[in-house]
Amino acid sequence: MATAGQAAGGERRKLKILMLLLYYHPHSTGLTNYVRMLAEALARRGHEVTVVASQHTKALPRGESMLNGVRVVRLWAPLRISRGFILPTYPWQVYSLIRQHDIVNIHIPLLETALVAFLAGLAGVKLIATHHGDLILPAGRFNRFVTRSMFAMYKLMARRSACLVGYSDDYADNSYYLKPFRDQVRVIYPPVQIPVPDQEKAKQWRARWQQDGGAIIGFSGRFVQEKRPDLLIRALEIINKRYPQARIVFAGEYDIPYEGTWQRHSALVDKYREQLIFLGLLRDPQELANFYAACDVLALPSDSDCFALVQVEAMLCGTPVVMTDIPGGRVPVQVTGMGALAQAGDAISFGEAVLAVLADRAKYSKPRAEIARVFSFDKTLREYEQMFLQHARKR
């Protein structure tokens, strides 16, 4: 008799996997890159993978298309609300797709969590939710309403899900989303892949950015409030005492219309303009690897972050990290020793942590192979595949 996940004849069963999220490639964030890497890897393993997302820009095709072996369904999104969209056709299109698949993997936070849970239950297909971070909004009556409403819908979904995937035990133990459902949480490190840096290109970039031998401090991510790029710029007051020619190089989108962080901190940017370089979004993985290798340290002063995949990317490229000492976000530094932690919201603490790494960089350096063993892409893929096979609809 064939075991779970095994077809007759001993071959591993090929699944029809449905993944749901709001944005998908070419939109580039940690969440979208996570889903893209996972979906494409599962497709290479022979599974039929469908990703449903919004048509977040009119330049993208609406409806079905194939992208690197993954079937992508982009839904009509006529109205934007902040970062989100109204998707009028979502209920019946998603229900139809759920019925065609063996397992549903929803990536949250997502407005439609409760709806998806209901539709999956109606179709008799099990739901697995991957949690990419609690919803934390600025203070205010309306934001409190949004936060409570989203959490209520999440709880409805969590009670109906077969499993919740968390990035780390540290985050799951401290997440107000995951903690009430801790028994359902399965921890799987996120998928991380990045090419080996081209050291010659990295040296060329470094020579272009560097001023009189000053330190190069990298920042990889969007210029948004939760990532606290302003705190890193303020930390220059401390860093400049030892490295007055230091420069911060930002890789990522910075003038984001719906966010407003760039505009709010324009005076701060102008004050330190001579020490700041903005590259914009680096879409080519090889260019991103070269960027990391060109930096002395990657600095991430986030207020909230369940992991930050860019930490592991930098470590794989030989660059140590300074990260905020927050649940989940501190895990890559803690488990590898390849960096230092700083107090949340404290520019002085952050500046001092950057100086500590720059003063003894060799202490915080680890071989690529060692980092790859801790954050193994193959292990992450196997664990997801086994989980999907365990809970897939029997045919």
Side-chain angles (χ1 to χ4, degrees):
M1 180 179 293
T3 59
Q6 195 175 45
E11 293 183 2
R12 184 166 291 279
R13 179 184 172 192
K14 303 305 181 185
L15 298 176
K16 295 182 179 180
I17 303 166
L18 182 64
M19 295 184 172
L20 306 174
L21 70 165
L22 183 59
Y23 290 89
Y24 190 61
H25 184 77
H27 188 80
S28 183
T29 64
L31 192 160
T32 58
N33 291 334
Y34 181 120
V35 178
R36 177 185 57 78
M37 286 187 286
L38 180 61
E40 291 177 3
L42 287 166
R44 288 194 296 271
R45 296 271 289 176
H47 302 289
E48 294 182 30
V49 183
T50 301
V51 170
V52 178
S54 64
Q55 183 197 17
H56 66 267
T57 172
K58 291 182 180 178
L60 294 169
R62 188 189 308 172
E64 295 186 20
S65 61
M66 292 298 296
L67 186 61
N68 297 326
V70 176
R71 176 192 181 197
V72 180
V73 180
R74 301 188 195 273
L75 302 183
W76 181 43
L79 182 62
R80 176 191 285 271
I81 301 177
S82 185
R83 302 183 192 184
F85 296 92
I86 299 297
L87 307 174
T89 64
Y90 196 94
W92 57 86
Q93 285 196 264
V94 168
Y95 180 60
S96 176
L97 287 166
I98 289 173
R99 294 180 63 190
Q100 300 169 29
H101 288 78
D102 301 315
I103 193 77
V104 180
N105 179 210
I106 186 172
H107 292 263
I108 56 176
L110 187 69
L111 179 62
E112 293 81 7
T113 49
L115 172 63
V116 170
F118 171 74
L119 296 176
L122 200 62
V125 179
K126 288 187 178 180
L127 175 68
I128 291 174
T130 302
H131 184 64
H132 296 273
D134 297 354
L135 181 63
I136 300 173
L137 298 175
R141 183 175 298 177
F142 178 72
N143 283 342
R144 283 198 301 273
F145 168 76
V146 171
T147 300
R148 290 171 182 171
S149 299
M150 289 288 287
F151 188 46
M153 289 186 284
Y154 160 80
K155 287 190 287 186
L156 287 171
M157 180 277 302
R159 294 187 186 104
R160 295 176 177 225
S161 67
C163 185
L164 303 173
V165 178
Y167 279 44
S168 69
D169 285 306
D170 183 36
Y171 192 77
D173 290 340
N174 290 278
S175 161
Y176 81 87
Y177 267 59
L178 293 177
K179 197 172 182 180
F181 302 95
R182 191 64 178 87
D183 291 345
Q184 291 175 244
V185 177
R186 177 169 177 173
V187 169
I188 302 177
Y189 279 152
V192 182
Q193 288 182 310
I194 194 160
V196 175
D198 182 329
Q199 295 296 342
E200 188 57 40
K201 293 287 180 62
K203 287 178 183 176
Q204 292 172 13
W205 274 12
R206 185 175 178 83
R208 190 186 313 164
W209 302 333
Q210 200 170 39
Q211 183 176 358
D212 298 330
I216 303 295
I217 302 162
F219 176 97
S220 182
R222 294 170 299 138
F223 200 101
V224 294
Q225 189 60 33
E226 67 199 49
K227 302 291 184 185
R228 293 305 305 274
D230 61 300
L231 190 142
L232 177 56
I233 298 172
R234 295 181 199 281
L236 282 171
E237 186 174 344
I238 301 300
I239 297 167
N240 283 344
K241 292 177 181 178
R242 194 174 304 173
Y243 297 94
Q245 304 302 329
R247 285 192 164 176
I248 303 174
V249 184
F250 292 86
E253 295 177 284
Y254 51 93
D255 191 358
I256 303 171
Y258 63 75
E259 178 52 55
T261 304
W262 176 255
Q263 290 77 16
R264 283 197 300 275
H265 297 298
S266 60
L268 180 65
V269 169
D270 289 341
K271 178 180 177 180
Y272 289 99
R273 173 65 68 176
E274 293 300 314
Q275 292 183 265
L276 309 179
I277 298 171
F278 294 92
L279 302 179
L281 182 62
L282 300 179
R283 295 191 180 277
D284 183 349
Q286 186 63 63
E287 283 197 341
L288 188 59
N290 300 344
F291 158 76
Y292 290 130
C295 297
D296 293 306
V297 61
L298 184 77
L300 301 169
S302 304
D303 279 341
S304 62
D305 205 320
C306 67
F307 192 89
L309 277 65
V310 296
Q311 293 187 84
V312 180
E313 291 175 349
M315 292 174 182
L316 287 168
C317 295
T319 302
V321 173
V322 172
M323 179 64 189
T324 317
D325 188 4
I326 52 175
R330 60 195 170 204
V331 168
V333 168
Q334 288 179 327
V335 299
T336 65
M338 195 168 171
L341 299 174
Q343 186 175 336
D346 189 332
I348 295 175
S349 173
F350 214 85
E352 290 173 345
V354 169
L355 289 176
V357 172
L358 292 174
D360 191 1
R361 200 167 176 272
K363 173 184 174 182
Y364 300 100
S365 296
K366 307 286 181 180
R368 181 182 175 103
E370 185 175 329
I371 304 303
R373 278 195 299 271
V374 175
F375 298 107
S376 166
F377 183 88
D378 289 340
K379 183 171 185 282
T380 294
L381 179 61
R382 286 196 308 271
E383 291 184 351
Y384 258 104
E385 187 178 41
Q386 290 165 4
M387 180 175 58
F388 288 160
L389 286 164
Q390 178 186 350
H391 296 289
R393 174 166 53 181
K394 303 296 185 290
R395 287 186 178 274

